[in-house]
Amino acid sequence: MANYKARVQIFRELFDRESIPITELQTLCFNGIPDDSGFRSKCWKILLNYLPGQPSEWPAVLLKQRNLYERFIEEMIVTPGTISKSGSRVDVTLDDHPLNPNPDGKWVAYFKDNEVLLQINKDVRRLCPDISFFQQPTDYPCEITMNREEVESLRDRVQQTVIRSANVTRNRSGITNVSLFKKRAQEEYQHLAPGQEAHWEVVERILFIYAKLNPGQSYVQGMNEIIGPIYYTFASDPDPEWRKYAEADTFFCFTNLMSEIRDFFIKTLDHSATGIGAMMKRLMDMVEEHDFNIWQRLQMQDIKPQYFCFRWITLLLSQEFPLPDVIRVWDSLFSDKNRFQFLLCVCCAMIIWLRDKIMHNDFPSNMKLLQNFPNVDIHCLLEKAVELQR
């Protein structure tokens, strides 16, 4: 407890300075950020290049970026044909209507966007299923989509799958009756009351806007797992003034993070120097260097890195540990001076951690083991990763 209080005091003194030395901040955060006074939220914003190292500049930067995000919502989530501020209809002309085959028409783009939205919706609904946080209502629903008619809520755009079925029966007189009824998909979700939004709906909107602003990449499954811990951290900030703008802050931090790892999500770059293929090769080279026997065992059983560490690397280990442990790992990843080199060290430590089991297991058992990493003391695992980094 004394050590924890001492670390909190060190962070407090650091943030009281007129200028925060980035190198010093990285060193402190690498060893874990205290769950106190919203330090993690502020540190991640700096480490992800959203906030500068001078706290005096934060108000101007935050005001500019948060206003920009509001404009994104207004411009990106507008339905063709809805009512404009002046009360007139927009986007509905003789040249642009829902049946217009013109590939440049706004309605065509709207329908394509819906395909992306449906995939995002499916993914974010099951975000972090072990905790109820993302199913709970946010204290700060988006006023733009809730209170303005010209901006449609994404909730209203998502249509549940409806299967038309026929029930055929024959009565005692031999007359056949065909009754049609609608059967909804198995996944049935109860929406919150009007005016409320669940946290997963906020994440859905962020990802949808990101996809709209990045048409070359759009949305790829797995991005929801990257954004989840960031939003959770910002939306759990003890300071309501920071928590209120968790959505906008998450968007820009997520965008900055994706700019560094986006090659992992682009299939055509899998075998480039920055692609996922190169990262997996570097990992296996590291395993071979630090424990040849376990590397050889994986080779003999033909356990390819694509079978397990593809997910580890692309999702930054967000699926391998409970959320609190993921957040602790990310403290170190975001603080890594050689961004994400430490990620490979953690992955290598995970494989070596399972050494005894891997050396004795058969192929099916090892596959199951690596794809479902067992519970572990995350601090001990990170200590092992630090040893490998030296």
Side-chain angles (χ1 to χ4, degrees), residues 87-135:
S88 61
R89 305 291 290 185
V90 297
D91 294 339
V92 177
T93 67
L94 292 175
D95 297 324
D96 192 11
H97 54 83
L99 300 181
N100 181 14
N102 182 3
D104 297 325
K106 292 184 178 181
W107 277 104
V108 173
Y110 176 77
F111 293 134
K112 288 183 179 179
D113 289 344
N114 276 354
E115 296 177 8
V116 176
L117 177 59
L118 288 173
Q119 183 60 60
I120 295 174
N121 182 268
K122 180 180 178 181
D123 292 343
V124 297
R125 284 180 180 272
R126 53 176 182 246
L127 190 59
C128 298
D130 294 338
I131 61 174
S132 63
F133 172 81
F134 287 95
Q135 307 301 322

Side-chain angles (χ1 to χ4, degrees), residues 321 325 353 373-384:
F321 307 110
D325 288 351
W353 191 273
F373 199 81
N375 292 331
V376 63
D377 185 328
I378 199 65
H379 300 286
C380 294
L381 184 66
L382 290 175
E383 287 177 3
K384 179 64 177 178

Side-chain angles (χ1 to χ4, degrees), residues 186-236:
Q186 291 183 354
E187 290 186 319
E188 192 80 41
Y189 300 96
Q190 182 177 0
H191 290 307
L192 298 174
Q196 288 187 322
E197 277 189 318
H199 287 291
W200 67 261
E201 292 184 277
V202 180
V203 175
E204 177 181 58
R205 183 165 50 248
I206 298 172
L207 289 172
F208 181 70
I209 292 175
Y210 177 84
K212 290 273 289 180
L213 290 172
N214 296 271
Q217 183 183 33
S218 189
Y219 170 77
V220 180
Q221 279 186 289
M223 290 182 180
N224 58 308
E225 307 296 349
I226 298 294
I227 199 173
I230 299 176
Y231 176 77
Y232 174 83
T233 298
F234 294 173
S236 302

Side-chain angles (χ1 to χ4, degrees), residues 280 284 298-310 363 367 370-371:
M280 290 190 293
M284 298 314 293
L298 295 175
Q299 295 295 312
M300 290 176 58
Q301 293 188 343
D302 198 27
I303 299 179
K304 301 183 185 301
Q306 295 92 320
Y307 298 159
F308 61 97
C309 66
F310 179 92
F363 172 82
M367 283 292 296
L370 290 167
Q371 292 179 347

Side-chain angles (χ1 to χ4, degrees), residues 140-156:
Y140 305 99
C142 180
E143 295 181 359
I144 298 176
T145 60
M146 290 294 172
N147 302 326
R148 289 172 51 179
E149 293 182 355
E150 72 270 16
V151 181
E152 181 186 37
S153 168
L154 293 183
R155 178 191 300 181
D156 297 332

Side-chain angles (χ1 to χ4, degrees), residues 222-289:
M223 290 182 180
N224 58 308
E225 307 296 349
I226 298 294
I227 199 173
I230 299 176
Y231 176 77
Y232 174 83
T233 298
F234 294 173
S236 302
D237 194 300
D239 187 341
E241 283 303 310
W242 287 95
R243 194 166 64 244
K244 180 179 180 180
Y245 297 99
E247 178 177 351
D249 295 345
T250 297
F251 171 80
F252 288 106
C253 286
F254 171 73
T255 299
N256 291 348
L257 178 58
M258 284 304 304
S259 69
E260 299 183 38
I261 64 173
R262 64 179 300 162
D263 290 358
F264 298 169
F265 291 87
I266 300 177
K267 189 173 183 179
T268 55
L269 297 178
D270 281 357
H271 301 292
S272 68
T274 57
I276 185 62
M279 291 290 285
M280 290 190 293
K281 184 180 185 306
R282 287 168 57 191
L283 171 59
M284 298 314 293
D285 289 345
M286 187 181 296
V287 174
E288 181 181 11
E289 176 186 353

Side-chain angles (χ1 to χ4, degrees), residues 6 73 86 107 125 136 183 216 242 312 323 327 368:
I73 294 177
S86 62
W107 277 104
R125 284 180 180 272
Q136 300 299 318
K183 180 181 179 182
W242 287 95
W312 292 4
L323 183 58
I327 290 173
K368 183 177 180 180

